[in-house]
Amino acid sequence: MKLSLTPLLLSLFLLLISSLSQLQGLTPKCDDDDNNHHTSTLKVFHIFSPCSPFKPQTPISWEQTILQLQAKDQKRMEYLSSLVATRSVVPIASGRQITQSPTYIVRAKIGTPKQTLLMAMDTSNDVAWVPCSGCLGCSSSTAFAPSKSTTFRGVRCGASQCKQVPNPKCGGSACTFNLTYGSSSVAASLVQDTVTLATDPIPAYTFGCIRKATGSSVPPQGLLGLGRGPLSLLSQTQKLYQSTFSYCLPSFKALNFSGSLRLGPVAQPKRIKFTPLLRNPRRSSLYYVNLVAIRVGRRIVDIPPPALAFNPTTGAGTIFDSGTVFTRLVEPAYIAVRNEFRRRVGRKIAVTTLGGFDTCYTVPIVAPTITFMFSGMNVTLPTDNILIHSTAGGITCLAMAAAPDNVNSVLNVIANMQQQNHRVLFDVPNSRLGVAREPCT
Ligand SMILES: *[C@@H]1O[C@H](CO)[C@@H](O)[C@H](O)[C@H]1NC(C)=O
Ligand SMILES: *[C@@H]1O[C@H](CO)[C@@H](O)[C@H](O)[C@H]1NC(C)=O
Ligand SMILES: *[C@@H]1O[C@H](CO)[C@@H](O)[C@H](O)[C@H]1NC(C)=O
């Protein structure tokens, strides 16, 4: 199913965004107070937050932003599907990774003295990269200036890290590489510098420094991959954070937009439900879990078992992803959920569509809860995580869709709208993922 854009969907999002923009007058604390935490905690901002320089600037460009955002959500699914389907494993970055635009950003400080950069947070990615100053074709507003950092150095060609980037090239002694995808490409060098997250300096952190970008799909911010493959943040901070982190993603609708990214095992919630994390050896960066059933209201819906089964050979299964906005279920699973949802809302109430959403109502409804039943953990979503709602347009939609109907549609993605206002804990050493409700403020 293709998520096409109708004017109605657009206006709904415009509404959402315009109500966000009014909040800009409230001047939330956007200044840097990550340092006030004794725990290793960073603020997480929605890309549309008043604190985000990437928020839409004018009504006209909002429209374009939304168009881009919707298109990128579709691309995100293609990216995730391709990750799963591809046989080769490229640890730091496959070319495809440059086209996605994750929804949440954190602040990192790079170099000595520290330069503050915003980084997109992405759990399905291992790469870290930033645009570097002098970059041709990058957005100029936020770039890292290596020449101003006393701790900056390039990674040498012979270094082991250079073997982990795609198509490394040894021009001089520096390790450089190019990423291409479709009509876009990026030329980068592999570099090291001190990266400070909250108050934790991480010396000689290895990341990509973008020197040249062509095409339109390179996002202006840096990227902080929270996947668990080689060269990822988790791998490079093994001693410090022990491959453990959690986040609370703020809702689009919240009056102030910061959530939190908490790194390391200290200060993680004790009262939280867990489900085992599964490992796909071919796609080690993705966080797979075992979704065994879905309940709508009190009824467990009838889903053919292959639609939910984890299969490390084909890559089929269910992942938690911070970068997809709306949960996608493979078609038989989605149809079963949607049909029961419609039945519970009431057969006499007319169903309408809105872009890619096929279960919308123009009258007030009483929606059933939806429970994702994972091995050992049931997560019941409140309606805020299930419905998108336009007050002016008076339309309410079930905010989920079927995964794209193609050969790769074997992946169920628990997306960020369904995770908002929950703490999601990634505990890699104990191979488990925890979820607890928590208002992110
Ligand atoms: C959000 O609101 C809380 C309390 O109202 C305040 O302490 C906090 O600084 C706010 N955060 C932002 C980013 O505005
Ligand atoms: C990357 O692209 C640049 C031109 O943009 C080219 O000069 C360079 O040789 C390429 N490097 C690799 C590793 O292909
Ligand atoms: C999840 O809910 C089902 C009932 O729908 C129940 O049988 C099962 O024990 C629950 N699982 C957990 C881990 O609480």
Side-chain angles (χ1 to χ4, degrees), residues 21-351:
S21 74
Q22 285 159 14
L23 301 170
Q24 290 175 35
L26 297 181
T27 55
K29 282 184 208 148
C30 302
D31 52 316
D32 191 359
D33 63 353
D34 287 339
N35 292 344
N36 295 346
H37 299 276
H38 294 292
T39 53
S40 304
T41 304
L42 287 82
K43 283 187 175 179
V44 174
F45 297 101
H46 192 270
I47 198 104
F48 293 153
S49 155
C51 297
S52 163
F54 311 115
K55 65 179 180 289
Q57 298 298 328
T58 67
I60 289 150
S61 71
W62 294 345
E63 181 172 346
Q64 279 161 351
T65 303
I66 291 152
L67 282 164
Q68 283 171 13
L69 197 133
Q70 287 293 307
K72 280 175 178 168
D73 206 31
Q74 186 69 20
K75 284 216 169 70
R76 176 82 181 171
M77 282 305 294
E78 288 163 17
Y79 158 69
L80 291 171
S81 295
S82 73
L83 269 191
V84 165
T86 314
R87 283 196 175 273
S88 65
V89 176
V90 182
I92 189 168
S94 83
R96 294 178 179 92
Q97 288 167 335
I98 63 175
T99 60
Q100 37 170 329
S101 167
T103 330
Y104 291 98
I105 51 177
V106 296
R107 247 183 313 246
K109 291 176 220 82
I110 306 183
T112 313
K114 295 168 192 148
Q115 301 174 34
T116 299
L117 273 104
L118 292 162
M119 313 274 278
M121 201 181 91
D122 186 348
T123 54
S124 298
N125 213 315
D126 289 340
V127 63
W129 57 254
V130 294
C132 279
S133 60
C135 170
L136 297 170
C138 289
S139 150
S140 57
S141 60
T142 53
F144 168 59
S147 60
K148 293 187 182 145
S149 172
T150 56
T151 42
F152 176 88
R153 58 193 149 95
V155 169
R156 279 177 307 102
C157 254
S160 60
Q161 294 97 329
C162 193
K163 297 187 176 64
Q164 300 186 24
V165 300
N167 316 310
K169 192 176 178 182
C170 299
S173 60
C175 175
T176 62
F177 60 100
N178 285 357
L179 313 173
T180 55
Y181 179 66
S183 58
S184 295
S185 77
V186 152
S189 43
L190 196 64
V191 302
Q192 291 184 330
D193 205 337
T194 302
V195 171
T196 305
L197 298 174
T199 50
D200 305 325
I202 304 159
Y205 191 81
T206 304
F207 59 96
C209 179
I210 310 264
R211 306 290 193 177
K212 186 177 172 187
T214 55
S216 56
S217 55
V218 182
Q221 73 276 25
L223 187 61
L224 186 68
L226 293 173
R228 48 178 166 164
L231 275 193
S232 66
L233 174 71
L234 295 200
S235 305
Q236 293 195 51
T237 58
Q238 185 52 46
K239 282 212 186 81
L240 186 60
Y241 299 136
Q242 294 162 44
S243 294
T244 306
F245 68 95
S246 72
Y247 56 62
C248 191
L249 303 177
S251 160
F252 308 143
K253 290 185 287 186
L255 280 179
N256 91 38
F257 298 84
S258 72
S260 63
L261 170 64
R262 199 173 289 156
L263 298 162
V266 179
Q268 296 297 356
K270 300 283 176 284
R271 290 171 58 83
I272 189 165
K273 292 184 280 186
F274 286 105
T275 189
L277 267 178
L278 308 177
R279 202 176 244 294
N280 178 337
R282 285 204 292 116
R283 277 303 157 201
S284 54
S285 57
L286 300 182
Y287 292 101
Y288 281 88
V289 291
N290 190 17
L291 178 63
V292 288
I294 302 175
R295 209 167 61 203
V296 177
R298 288 211 197 94
R299 179 183 291 191
I300 295 172
V301 298
D302 199 8
I303 297 172
L308 299 181
F310 174 66
N311 181 337
T313 311
T314 62
T318 302
I319 64 164
F320 268 72
D321 181 41
S322 66
T324 311
V325 181
F326 302 111
T327 287
R328 301 294 190 112
L329 301 172
V330 299
E331 198 152 12
Y334 176 70
I335 301 277
V337 167
R338 178 201 75 182
N339 289 351
E340 180 62 13
F341 184 92
R342 289 181 182 175
R343 201 186 66 79
R344 287 290 308 262
V345 168
R347 291 204 194 281
K348 295 209 176 84
I349 302 178
V351 176

Side-chain angles (χ1 to χ4, degrees), residues 123 247-249 319-325 327 381 385 413-424 426 435-436 438 440:
T123 54
Y247 56 62
C248 191
L249 303 177
I319 64 164
F320 268 72
D321 181 41
S322 66
T324 311
V325 181
T327 287
L381 297 177
N385 293 97
V413 180
I414 308 297
N416 63 43
M417 183 182 162
Q418 279 66 42
Q419 297 177 46
Q420 285 166 15
N421 287 316
H422 288 78
R423 182 150 297 273
V424 183
F426 298 80
V435 177
E438 177 183 319
C440 317

